[in-house]
Amino acid sequence: MNLVEKMNEDKKILTIQDISCYGQCSITVALPIISAFGIETAVLPSAVLSTHTSGFSEYTVRDLTEDLPNIRKHWEKEGIYFDAIYTGFIGSIEQLDYIKDIIDSRLKPDGLVFVDPAMADQGEFYNGFDQEFADKMGELCKLGDYILPNTTEACYILHKEWKEDFTKDEMLDMAEELSKFTKRHVILKGYENNNQMGMIVLDKEKSSVDIVYNDKIDYITHGSGDVFASTFVGSTISGKSPSTATKIAGELTKKAIEKTISDPTHTYGVKFEQVIPEIYELLKSI
């Protein structure tokens, strides 16, 4: 058993997001990536979709909102608790209050909460989301030890106007404003600087800010944000600092996108499966 496996052998994390049966995103990304860190990963689906919502038409959706409270009650009866809870794509605004109840009742006293407010990108909401949802998501973020918005999500949470390029100072100011929506850390994605992609890492407790860079790849693909967030969660639970976890997450996401670019027919997701074996090397080297 290596050091990472030993460190994580008793850790249990719950991820709450949708299942897209086809399309490499949400739970089908989070479950294998976090498990690869040696962390036991439980899932709570917010909805089941035949495919994800980008690039497909007439997909089926089964909303699981009504199931959430009964699942929580069963876990409560069985005495099931988690070391961390990680939320991603949430199916409906009604689910957010149920998720708050799950965090309040099923998270261990010293547990961590990771909120990826997956609801928008490139200046637009995903299908089915609006400003009311963003405001409610902002309330969920306040329970998070770590929040991981992109610039579009950050702008909706803060009621700011989105633009394609933000200056360094604007990004830093936005991260500072977002610190009101987290207990401890902000990971703000989307700062572009020459040929690099930067993530603003704000530590609210230490009043410190870092910018972590990875080489930029001019390619947009569905699911890359889920790869980043899931790798960040796994790295953090494995003991890495927020800046180091951000660097590892950025590197693995970049490697997955590189694998995807080489296949022009693969337009619906990111080939993260092919880089999972590199997780342990990244943990050792970064």
Side-chain angles (χ1 to χ4, degrees):
M1 181 180 293
N2 62 48
L3 181 61
V4 173
E5 291 171 335
K6 180 66 177 176
M7 182 184 302
N8 292 333
E9 64 177 332
D10 294 324
K11 298 289 178 63
K12 293 181 177 66
I13 184 169
L14 170 66
T15 184
I16 308 173
Q17 45 192 312
D18 77 285
I19 293 178
S20 291
C21 298
Y22 185 83
Q24 295 172 306
C25 65
S26 301
I27 281 178
T28 58
V29 170
L31 179 57
I33 287 182
I34 298 173
S35 297
F37 283 86
I39 302 167
E40 181 180 336
T41 309
V43 301
L44 180 53
S46 60
V48 178
L49 295 82
S50 54
T51 68
H52 60 65
T53 61
S54 178
F56 295 100
S57 60
E58 300 182 5
Y59 47 83
T60 66
V61 181
R62 181 171 293 277
D63 185 285
L64 299 179
T65 300
E66 294 182 0
D67 295 89
L68 300 188
N70 289 330
I71 291 172
R72 180 194 64 77
K73 289 177 184 177
H74 184 227
W75 285 346
E76 191 168 6
K77 179 180 178 182
E78 295 293 333
I80 295 170
Y81 292 90
F82 299 98
D83 297 283
I85 294 177
Y86 155 39
T87 69
F89 188 99
I90 304 303
S92 68
I93 193 169
E94 292 81 12
Q95 292 181 358
L96 295 175
D97 284 333
Y98 289 142
I99 290 170
K100 289 180 183 179
D101 289 340
I102 291 167
I103 290 172
D104 289 341
S105 67
R106 298 299 92 207
L107 186 68
K108 292 181 180 178
D110 58 347
L112 299 174
V113 176
F114 301 82
V115 179
D116 179 8
M119 59 184 176
D121 201 2
Q122 298 297 307
E124 296 182 351
F125 280 112
Y126 297 148
N127 290 342
F129 296 113
D130 56 18
Q131 186 60 54
E132 182 184 5
F133 185 91
D135 292 341
K136 195 78 170 178
M137 177 60 76
E139 294 302 310
L140 180 65
C141 285
K142 291 178 180 179
L143 301 181
D145 297 283
Y146 302 85
I147 62 171
L148 299 95
N150 60 36
T151 56
T152 303
E153 293 155 349
C155 285
Y156 281 129
I157 290 171
L158 297 172
H159 288 251
K160 298 174 69 72
E161 184 176 351
W162 182 83
K163 59 183 181 178
E164 193 166 344
D165 295 308
F166 288 92
T167 67
K168 178 181 176 181
D169 287 341
E170 287 172 334
M171 290 288 288
L172 292 172
D173 288 344
M174 198 183 308
E176 182 63 35
E177 290 183 63
L178 285 167
S179 69
K180 301 173 185 176
F181 291 85
T182 182
K183 290 181 178 180
R184 298 169 63 189
H185 302 284
V186 175
I187 315 299
L188 176 59
K189 302 171 288 182
Y191 171 51
E192 298 186 22
N193 183 29
N194 296 323
N195 292 320
Q196 291 188 309
M197 180 62 72
M199 281 74 73
I200 311 298
V201 181
L202 182 147
D203 186 326
K204 186 175 180 178
E205 294 175 326
K206 298 180 180 179
S207 299
S208 65
V209 179
D210 190 14
I211 304 179
V212 176
Y213 292 99
N214 297 90
D215 292 336
K216 178 185 173 185
I217 300 178
D218 286 318
Y219 187 81
I220 297 174
T221 179
H222 196 86
S224 59
D226 298 317
V227 174
F228 179 92
S230 300
T231 307
F232 178 87
V233 170
S235 299
T236 302
I237 298 298
S238 298
K240 296 297 185 179
S241 70
S243 292
T244 302
T246 299
K247 181 67 174 179
I248 292 170
E251 285 298 314
L252 194 78
T253 304
K254 177 177 72 73
K255 290 174 180 290
I257 293 173
E258 288 172 342
K259 293 288 186 181
T260 309
I261 290 174
S262 63
D263 183 356
T265 68
H266 198 92
T267 59
Y268 54 85
V270 59
K271 292 187 174 184
F272 72 93
E273 299 93 343
Q274 297 186 15
V275 299
I276 282 179
E278 301 188 42
I279 286 175
Y280 184 57
E281 290 303 316
L282 288 171
L283 283 172
K284 288 197 302 181
S285 62
I286 296 179

